Amino acid sequence: MRTVTIADVARHAGVAVSTVSYVLSGKRAISESTSERVMRSVRALGYHPNAGARALASKRSNVIALVLPLRAGMHLPVLMQFATSVVTTARRFDHDVLLMTADEGPDGLRRVAASAMVDGLVLMDVEIHDPRVPLLRDLGEPSVLIGFPADASGLTCVDLNFAQAGAICAEHLAGLGHREIALLGAPNVVYKRGTAFAERVMEGFVAAGHRHAAGTVAWPCEETFDEVCATVSALLERHPGTSGLVVHNEAAVGHVLGALRVLGRRVPQDVSVVAICPDDVAERASPALTSVLIPAEDVGAQAVNLLMAKLEGESVPEATLLNPRLTVRRSTAAR
Amino acid sequence: MRTVTIADVARHAGVAVSTVSYVLSGKRAISESTSERVMRSVRALGYHPNAGARALASKRSNVIALVLPLRAGMHLPVLMQFATSVVTTARRFDHDVLLMTADEGPDGLRRVAASAMVDGLVLMDVEIHDPRVPLLRDLGEPSVLIGFPADASGLTCVDLNFAQAGAICAEHLAGLGHREIALLGAPNVVYKRGTAFAERVMEGFVAAGHRHAAGTVAWPCEETFDEVCATVSALLERHPGTSGLVVHNEAAVGHVLGALRVLGRRVPQDVSVVAICPDDVAERASPALTSVLIPAEDVGAQAVNLLMAKLEGESVPEATLLNPRLTVRRSTAAR
DNA sequence: AAGGGTTGTCGAAGCGCTTCGACGCTGTTT
DNA sequence: AAACAGCGTCGAAGCGCTTCGACAACCCTT
C-alpha cells in the first residue's frame, strides 16, 4: 500500500496538483465545485500531506519545540500539565510539538533551529540566570519563555503572577482577622538557585501583609517530615501569636498538617492554613485545604497562543502574567 | 544570513554535493583526506542538514513519537521521568521526539504516520483495554508500548515487573519474620479501570506471601487523609496481628504514616512499612521508608532501544520486564 | 466592439537532500 | 599486455510539496 501523494489526489479529482494545494491551503480562490471535488478525493484516498515535503517547499515545519529545563530531579507534576496543554493548544493551530531537554545544551537549540525542524520555541521553567536565554537572543528564532529571566527585554515571557499569589493568601487571612501570619516556603536551596517565583511569592505575601496591618514572617522550609516538624514548632515558639499559615511547598504541605496535629494545634480552630498547590493535593489533605492554584494549563496555552501570534508576524507584549485563583476550603476560619 | 546548504559545503570543500552527503552518512567509502576536508567545511560554515529535505529524500524523519495517555488528571510524576529518558535516549540515536497526547484519538496517530513525520511510536502508560492498541495494529508503524494490553501478541511491550515488585515487598517482610502482612493499594477506581500494574502488584504480593507462609491481605486505598486513616484502622482491627504493611499508592503513603502515628503504632517497632514509590518520596517520610523503586528512566530508555532495533529491521522480544529494586531504609525491622 | 479587471486553473520551477549508475583511477590477476 | 576488480568521486534524477507567472474565460466599462 504505497502512500498517497498530492499527485494521486489531483489525478483522482481531475485537476492540477497546484489546484489541490490551493484548495488545501486556501491561499488562492478556488471555485466551490472544484474545491468540493478535491476534498472528496482527499477523503476517498485518505490523503495526508507529507510533512517533509511540505516543510521543504514552504519553509514552515508546523512544529514547535518545547524545551524542558536542564535541572534533573525536577519532577514537578505541574510540568506534565504544562506540557500537555502546550501540545493540545499547538494542535489547535495545526502544529505539532517536538520535545527537547535542555541537557543537549546550546547546540541542541541551534540544531533544531538550523535544521528547520521547528518554527519556534517554548522554553519551560526559565530561571533568573538561565543559560538558554542569551543563546536564544542571537538565535533569532521566534520563542516564548515560561518564567522570567533577569533581563527579559526583547523576549516574550509568560508566567503565573506569583507576587499576587502570595498577596492573595495574605489578604485572605488578614480578611479573616488574623493579625500575625507566616509563610513557609521552598527549601533553602531553591532561593539560593535564584528561582524567581519563590522569591516573588514571599515579596507579595509580605507586602500584602503590611498593607493590611498584619505581622508577617517568611521562612524557607525543607521537605522531610522531621524538618518540617522542627520548623513549624520553632516558628510557633518564636511567634506564638501566629494564627495564619501559608505553605508554598508542595512536598511539605502534608507534613505541615501532620506537624500541627502532633503539636496539638487544630486546623482551622487554632491555626488557619492556606496552601499554594494543585487542587488535588489540597483536596486530599485533612481538613481539605484552602488553596491557591497554579493554573498550569492556562500558562501553557497562553505561551502557545503568543508564539503563534509571533509566527504570524504580529507583535505581542513582552510580559504576560496570569492571575492565580484562591479556592476556600475547610482549613481557614475567622479568628 | 541565509541558511547554509549542502551545496555551500560542497563548494567550500571543492567536492560534489553527493560526496558531502556520503561523508556525512558514511554510506560509501570516502578517502580520509576528502572526508576531513569536508568535515572542516561543515564546521567552518556551521552546516546543519535541513530536516525536511532529508526526510523527503531518505524517507526517514529521524523523529519518533511519544504518545501520552488520554486520561486526564493523570499526574503521575514518573510520567515526566519517562518522557525525559525517552528524549535523552532517542538523542543518543540521533533521533528527536514528537510529543503527542492521545486525545486527538486514532486520527492523530494516523496523521503522524501517514504524513511521514515520525519513523516509529512509543506509547506510554498503556492499559489493559487500551483503545490505541487495535489502531496501532493496522497502522503497521514500528512501535513500542510501555505497559501491557490484554492481547500483546505481535506487539513489543516494556514494563516494570510489577508482580515482582509486590513479591519483593512480601519477601522482605517475611524475611524479617513478619507472619501477617497487608498491602494497601491504589484507589478502587484504578482496579475498576483495569490498570494492569495495580493488579499485578497484588498478585505478586499474595503469591510471595503464600510461598513464605505469611498471611496476606490486600486492600484498595483511597487518597484523602481521613479515608486512609479509616482504612488503616479498619485493617488493623480486622487483622490485629498485622505487623508488616506495603503501600502501593504514592499519594497515600504520607497519610499512612500519619494515620499510624495517630493510632499510636510506632514504625518500625510495631509495624514495618514498605512503600512502592519514588526514592525522594521515601526519603522525605519519617522515618525514611524502605521502598521499591519504579525505574522510570530504565523503562523509557529500554523502550527507545527496542524501537531503534525495530527500525533497523532487527527482531526484538515481544515482552521485556524490568526488575524493581528494593532499598532498605528505617521503616522496616525484624519482628 | 474594444479594452480592462477579476476569477479560477494550470504548468513548471524549485526547496535541499539522498541515492543510483557511471566513470576514471590504481592495482591485481591472468 | 589485456582484462578485471575495487575504490573514490561525480552528475543527475527524483522525493512530494508550494508558489509564481501565465492565461483562458468571463463580466464590466467605455
Side-chain angles (χ1 to χ4, degrees):
Chain A
M1 160 172 122
R2 224 183 83 276
T3 82
V4 182
T5 75
I6 197 173
D8 298 327
V9 175
R11 206 171 309 122
H12 186 272
V15 298
V17 163
S18 50
T19 302
V20 175
S21 178
Y22 286 125
V23 167
L24 261 25
S25 71
K27 295 200 177 171
R28 280 198 186 176
I30 299 287
S31 72
E32 181 71 19
S33 67
T34 306
S35 180
E36 188 152 319
R37 196 148 33 89
V38 168
M39 289 311 291
R40 246 199 302 281
S41 300
V42 165
R43 280 189 295 270
L45 302 179
Y47 169 67
H48 286 272
N50 178 295
R54 194 207 273 275
L56 181 55
S58 68
K59 313 208 154 305
R60 291 283 245 101
S61 66
N62 275 32
V63 174
I64 63 175
L66 175 62
V67 188
L68 301 182
L70 337 83
R71 179 159 28 104
M74 132 244 74
H75 61 148
L76 305 172
V78 286
L79 239 47
M80 205 69 206
Q81 289 182 51
F82 273 135
T84 58
S85 79
V86 165
V87 171
T88 315
T89 311
R91 283 304 307 147
R92 205 165 291 146
F93 290 93
D94 197 32
H95 278 241
D96 280 282
V97 174
L98 198 77
L99 185 63
M100 309 189 53
T101 61
D103 51 52
E104 265 193 271
D107 294 344
L109 299 190
R110 220 183 291 284
R111 181 177 58 83
V112 292
S115 65
M117 288 193 103
V118 303
D119 300 334
L121 307 164
V122 172
L123 305 215
M124 287 177 59
D125 210 13
V126 172
E127 298 183 359
I128 294 193
H129 297 290
D130 201 298
R132 299 172 292 177
V133 169
L135 169 67
L136 209 57
R137 277 219 165 73
D138 61 40
L139 214 55
E141 196 77 2
S143 62
V144 173
L145 316 196
I146 294 177
F148 277 83
D151 176 15
S153 63
L155 302 174
T156 306
C157 303
V158 187
D159 211 345
L160 178 69
N161 191 338
F162 283 102
Q164 205 194 333
I168 283 183
C169 294
E171 281 161 12
H172 175 65
L173 291 174
L176 289 171
H178 299 274
R179 303 265 59 92
E180 283 191 52
I181 60 183
L183 171 74
L184 290 176
N188 237 316
V189 58
V190 171
Y191 297 94
K192 296 255 172 60
R193 193 169 59 214
T195 308
F197 72 88
E199 292 173 14
R200 297 240 170 72
V201 170
M202 279 204 177
E203 293 161 9
F205 172 77
V206 170
H210 285 174
R211 274 202 305 282
H212 293 77
T216 58
V217 282
W219 286 17
C221 179
E222 304 304 318
E223 304 188 334
T224 70
F225 180 78
D226 295 338
E227 288 171 297
V228 171
C229 252
T231 304
V232 171
S233 88
L235 177 72
L236 293 178
E237 195 160 317
R238 188 96 72 86
H239 304 277
T242 301
S243 60
L245 205 52
V246 175
V247 184
H248 178 215
N249 184 329
E250 208 174 298
V253 64
H255 295 332
V256 168
L257 291 177
L260 290 171
R261 209 175 287 129
V262 166
L263 295 171
R265 309 288 182 118
R266 293 162 305 161
V267 175
Q269 294 88 337
D270 302 325
V271 185
S272 284
V273 177
V274 181
I276 300 177
C277 70
D279 278 343
D280 57 338
V281 171
E283 279 163 9
R284 268 205 296 272
S286 169
L289 291 166
T290 294
S291 71
V292 164
L293 178 68
I294 298 184
E297 279 87 3
D298 298 357
V299 174
Q302 186 60 19
V304 174
N305 286 334
L306 288 169
L307 183 55
M308 291 299 150
K310 283 179 100 166
L311 292 182
E312 296 305 315
E314 302 168 24
S315 76
V316 301
E318 290 202 345
T320 306
L321 284 179
L322 270 47
N323 290 329
R325 221 192 52 236
L326 179 94
T327 304
V328 178
R329 296 201 183 79
R330 320 235 349 272
S331 67
T332 50
R335 172 146 190 73
Chain B
M1 158 172 123
R2 223 183 85 276
T3 81
V4 182
T5 76
I6 196 173
D8 298 327
V9 176
R11 207 171 309 121
H12 186 272
V15 298
V17 163
S18 49
T19 302
V20 176
S21 178
Y22 286 125
V23 168
L24 261 25
S25 71
K27 295 200 176 171
R28 280 199 186 176
I30 299 286
S31 70
E32 181 71 18
S33 66
T34 306
S35 181
E36 189 152 317
R37 197 147 34 90
V38 168
M39 289 311 292
R40 247 200 301 280
S41 299
V42 164
R43 280 189 294 270
L45 302 179
Y47 169 68
H48 286 271
N50 178 295
R54 192 207 274 275
L56 181 56
S58 68
K59 313 206 155 307
R60 290 284 245 100
S61 65
N62 275 33
V63 174
I64 63 176
L66 176 61
V67 188
L68 300 182
L70 337 82
R71 176 160 31 101
M74 130 241 76
H75 61 143
L76 305 172
V78 286
L79 239 47
M80 204 70 204
Q81 289 181 51
F82 273 134
T84 57
S85 78
V86 165
V87 172
T88 316
T89 312
R91 283 304 307 148
R92 205 166 291 146
F93 290 93
D94 197 32
H95 278 241
D96 280 282
V97 174
L98 199 76
L99 185 62
M100 309 189 54
T101 62
D103 51 53
E104 265 192 272
D107 294 344
L109 298 189
R110 220 184 289 284
R111 182 177 57 83
V112 292
S115 65
M117 288 194 104
V118 303
D119 301 333
L121 307 164
V122 172
L123 306 216
M124 286 177 60
D125 211 12
V126 172
E127 297 183 1
I128 294 194
H129 297 290
D130 200 298
R132 298 172 291 177
V133 169
L135 169 67
L136 209 57
R137 276 219 165 72
D138 60 40
L139 213 55
E141 195 77 1
S143 63
V144 173
L145 317 196
I146 294 177
F148 276 83
D151 177 13
S153 63
L155 302 174
T156 305
C157 303
V158 187
D159 211 346
L160 179 68
N161 191 339
F162 283 103
Q164 204 194 335
I168 282 184
C169 294
E171 282 162 11
H172 175 65
L173 291 173
L176 289 171
H178 299 275
R179 303 265 60 91
E180 283 191 50
I181 59 184
L183 170 73
L184 290 177
N188 236 316
V189 58
V190 171
Y191 296 94
K192 296 255 170 61
R193 193 170 59 212
T195 308
F197 72 88
E199 292 173 14
R200 296 240 170 73
V201 170
M202 278 203 176
E203 293 162 9
F205 172 78
V206 171
H210 285 173
R211 274 202 306 281
H212 291 78
T216 59
V217 283
W219 287 17
C221 179
E222 303 305 318
E223 304 189 334
T224 70
F225 180 79
D226 295 338
E227 288 171 296
V228 171
C229 252
T231 304
V232 171
S233 88
L235 176 73
L236 293 179
E237 195 161 317
R238 187 96 73 86
H239 304 278
T242 301
S243 61
L245 204 53
V246 175
V247 184
H248 178 215
N249 183 327
E250 207 174 300
V253 64
H255 296 332
V256 168
L257 291 177
L260 290 171
R261 209 175 286 130
V262 167
L263 295 170
R265 309 289 183 116
R266 292 162 306 161
V267 176
Q269 294 88 336
D270 301 327
V271 185
S272 283
V273 177
V274 181
I276 299 177
C277 70
D279 278 342
D280 57 338
V281 171
E283 279 162 9
R284 268 205 295 273
S286 168
L289 291 165
T290 294
S291 72
V292 164
L293 177 68
I294 298 185
E297 278 87 3
D298 298 357
V299 174
Q302 186 61 18
V304 174
N305 287 335
L306 288 169
L307 183 55
M308 291 299 149
K310 284 179 101 166
L311 292 182
E312 295 305 314
E314 301 168 25
S315 76
V316 301
E318 290 200 346
T320 305
L321 285 179
L322 268 49
N323 290 329
R325 221 194 51 238
L326 179 93
T327 304
V328 178
R329 295 200 184 78
R330 320 235 352 269
S331 67
T332 50
R335 173 150 189 71

